[in-house]
Amino acid sequence: MLTVSMTVNGKQVSKEVEPRTLLVQFLREHLSLTGTHVGCDTSQCGACVVHVDGTSVKSCTMLAAQADGATVTTIEGLAQDGELHPMQAAFKEHHGLQCGFCTPGMVMSAVDLLKHNPDPSDREIREWLQGNICRCTGYHNIVKAIQAAAQSMRG
Ligand code: FES
Ligand code: FES
């Protein structure tokens, strides 16, 4: 066992974990932050995307120990003071989800996209989301929602 410490959604946490514990397991099983989903065992689906030190990362591809000392944000940490993040609000408004399974990862990836590119084209959004799979194939409205969020965040 080893001790892993990090800041998750603004709170300092410290837990004893097995060295092989993945970051996604740490979040879900040790911190009960189950908004971060596991949709595959091949690092393909993107349902597990969180931000580590401000950058989107598939949390199933990283050991919890590798995030020791990092600042992590999950979907649960995006809303502030009871207000949805503009990306969450846009997904809701533009029906950017069906079953919702891929949504936390889509939203976290999209927020990171807008940090790099505040005014992305549809093509740039689709390219950025190559690592996020929606099994309901709701991509059209996801792209619309991201465009709307980009506009509201620029405005
Ligand atoms: S669970 Fe991480 S990419 Fe699918
Ligand atoms: S909304 Fe169902 S997987 Fe994307």
Side-chain angles (χ1 to χ4, degrees), residues 16 18 30 43 50-51 61 74 81 89 94 136 147-148 154:
E16 291 249 302
E18 288 187 38
H30 294 259
S43 305
V50 299
H51 295 174
T61 62
T74 70
D81 303 324
H94 295 272
C136 301
Q147 285 291 17
R154 285 194 309 272

Side-chain angles (χ1 to χ4, degrees), residues 11 19 35 37 43-44 50 57 68 71 113 130 137 143:
K11 268 200 220 154
H37 292 162
S43 305
Q44 281 186 315
V50 299
V57 168
D68 190 44
T71 296
L113 165 64
Q130 276 177 22
T137 69
V143 173

